[in-house]
Amino acid sequence: MQLRISTYWEKADCADQSDLRRLAAPVASWIAFGPAGRIPTVEELQLVTKFMNKIDGGLLPSRLSDVLCEMKRRLQSLPRQADEAWNGAEKRLQKSYRKLHRRCRESETDTVVVAADAEIAGAELRAEQDVALQVRDTDDSGSPSASAQSDQHLMLFRKMNEWGFLDNAQKLERLQQAEEASRHSRRSLSQEELADVLSTAAACLAAPRRHARLQDADAKGLGDVRTASESQDPTVDVQKRVRSLLLHALRVWQMNQFDCQAIEYVLDFVQQKISKFENKVGEIQGAAAGKAWLKIKQMIDELLLREGSPSDPDVKGATKARAEAAGKVNVRQERQSGLQNINWEAQRRCWRCQWRYREDGIYKATARNFSIAKFLEQGLGEEAAVEAALQEAKAFREELVSQGKVKPPKQKGPSSTVRGVSFNQGKRKWIVQLYHAAESKYVHHGSFGSKDQAEVKARQIARQLGVPAEYEVRPAKRSRTQVP
């Protein structure tokens, strides 16, 4: 622990604001999520104080905000210590916490648009000053899904820190408990029990690492080097069991058809580990234990795809019925990539690149998500983070094109936002064709040489049918600091 403290202490001296926000979370988590009954050391308190003193005002990453709140609760629950040095360090930390809170509130105040009525503006400002350090998304605040995702986040983070404080014997005991829980009959396992097993496995899971033969490619006697490397590492067998536990639990989750949103954060967490390796090193099957990692990746991709598309026929039927009742209303995302295979996932706040591949004569679908979360944690604004994630997704698509897995992007023809108007490339004409709910079919209303003529005609027909003339555009979810 002393080595870790000294390492983070040195990093804090030269870190910029983005790195300070990124590094402060694991440091504060030592206090927030340490084992029950553990008293933080004076050095830990001083290190967290140093980070908070160096962080300026502004929007904090959600993970750091959550951990700081948990740290404050943990410190308040501890009994007063007899050590005056410890009490002094704890008091200075609490003071730094309040100052950071004040700086964040002042930064939020600078972005508030003051209303004409001074009393209303003052009331709104006082309400803003009562919020926590992190400004939540307007669309997600208070919603059950946002609360559930936050709970997943904190549970996973708590388990990760508990694992870090365990010795080897305790780690084996913790892992054995999770394995025994997963061995229960598939039908007897509840969703909550299996979600707990999955979060435990994800918390224990080390990131994929380069294969020994890649690390020692220039050395002689590759087999001897690899064997020695693996035999000297006591965590190899533990990580093998962790990967096996994770894969087994994911398979049971899929077979039981549990709700993937309940483990959304766990899936994202593991997928980010895999994506980070593939971006830096190469395909995951080239990692140590590559076959196991590939199976984990494929299972996570399948679960994420299932989450994005409802499999319940009743749900599909209800969706279709609503669409027909509304006159085949199409909804378009505000954020568009401009490329095939790349779409914006509003609920997950990421760009998703999807493609199909053939295996044993069967076409299968897979996908990779490019979340904006890591760019937000680097200090980028929301729109800048969305653009950075999109560029990452586009670069990945180019790799798929070079590998022959997807086709080069097609040049899109002209389009219209008016319902029923489309451009026929063969005839070079604008077509007007709208759905008539009474007749349960599409009706052709003519071809036009200009876009304006076609849109005028389409609006006339839409008024007659009683449907909106313009397509509905689903706005992107933005945090309150991004909303004008």
Side-chain angles (χ1 to χ4, degrees), residues 134-147:
Q134 172 67 30
V135 179
R136 299 297 182 187
D137 291 349
T138 305
D139 293 334
D140 290 339
S141 59
S143 66
S145 60
S147 176

Side-chain angles (χ1 to χ4, degrees), residues 255-274:
M255 288 187 291
N256 286 1
Q257 297 184 348
F258 289 148
D259 182 9
C260 292
Q261 288 187 354
I263 55 168
E264 180 180 6
Y265 199 88
V266 172
L267 298 177
D268 277 343
F269 176 76
V270 179
Q271 188 182 59
Q272 286 175 13
K273 284 180 177 289
I274 296 172

Side-chain angles (χ1 to χ4, degrees), residues 305 331-355 366-372 386 389-390 393-394 397 412:
L305 284 174
V331 180
R332 295 183 177 181
Q333 293 284 354
E334 178 185 354
R335 289 177 176 149
Q336 299 287 332
S337 70
L339 288 176
Q340 296 86 8
N341 305 99
I342 300 178
N343 299 298
W344 173 252
E345 293 289 330
Q347 185 177 7
R348 301 171 58 80
R349 305 190 72 195
C350 68
W351 293 100
R352 174 175 289 185
C353 182
Q354 295 178 281
W355 72 100
T366 186
R368 179 183 292 188
N369 290 342
F370 298 87
S371 174
I372 68 173
V386 171
L390 175 58
K394 287 182 176 179
R397 191 190 188 284
K412 289 189 175 182

Side-chain angles (χ1 to χ4, degrees), residues 301-314:
D301 287 342
E302 290 179 17
L303 290 173
L304 290 174
L305 284 174
R306 195 185 77 183
E307 176 191 352
S309 56
S311 58
D312 189 345
D314 294 334

Side-chain angles (χ1 to χ4, degrees), residues 63-105:
R63 184 175 76 166
L64 176 57
S65 173
D66 292 339
V67 173
L68 289 178
C69 291
E70 287 293 321
M71 179 196 71
K72 182 182 178 182
R73 295 193 195 100
R74 181 68 178 270
L75 289 175
Q76 291 174 341
S77 67
L78 293 177
R80 185 170 182 82
Q81 304 298 306
D83 187 353
E84 289 302 322
W86 191 96
N87 291 327
E90 191 269 343
K91 188 176 295 184
R92 288 189 290 273
L93 187 151
Q94 295 283 11
K95 184 177 180 181
S96 296
Y97 179 88
R98 291 191 294 271
K99 286 184 176 180
L100 177 60
H101 193 180
R102 192 178 305 118
R103 290 196 296 273
C104 292
R105 292 188 305 183

